[in-house]
Amino acid sequence: NTRLYNRAISLAEIQARRTCHLRDQPSGIILHYNYNQGIAFDDNTLLSQLKDTTSNALHAQLVNFSLSGNNSNFVFGTNY
């Protein structure tokens, strides 16, 4: 996950949210990327963006990623 806020967030907020998916939009969040759109190590060549899950819709273009096989692709992450 990548989360960007327009304010300083406290250590308590970081610890409370670091291992969970956001179900709501916390105060001050600007963007949130989950990196969970693709299928790990599979053909993801049709994916051209990382989706911002906030209402701001600041999607990121994926540039110079092969998005296929074991390199430059989505991988298995940690389940929380």
Side-chain angles (χ1 to χ4, degrees):
N1 286 308
T2 299
R3 299 168 187 167
L4 180 65
Y5 292 82
N6 65 2
R7 63 179 181 86
I9 56 175
S10 69
L11 179 59
E13 288 177 289
I14 293 170
Q15 290 172 333
R17 295 184 181 133
R18 68 181 176 170
T19 60
C20 65
H21 291 285
L22 299 179
R23 289 175 179 73
D24 60 349
Q25 285 196 28
S27 170
I29 195 162
I30 295 172
L31 64 82
H32 178 219
Y33 302 130
N34 281 324
Y35 302 98
N36 64 354
Q37 295 163 224
I39 300 170
F41 307 114
D42 206 343
D43 181 1
N44 294 294
T45 54
L46 296 178
L47 296 176
S48 62
Q49 294 182 329
L50 279 178
K51 299 293 183 184
D52 173 14
T53 62
T54 72
S55 60
N56 297 321
L58 298 171
H59 308 308
Q61 283 298 121
L62 296 171
V63 178
N64 294 325
F65 289 91
S66 67
L67 296 174
S68 181
N70 293 335
N71 295 314
S72 191
N73 199 358
F74 291 93
V75 297
F76 292 109
T78 303
N79 293 325
Y80 297 106

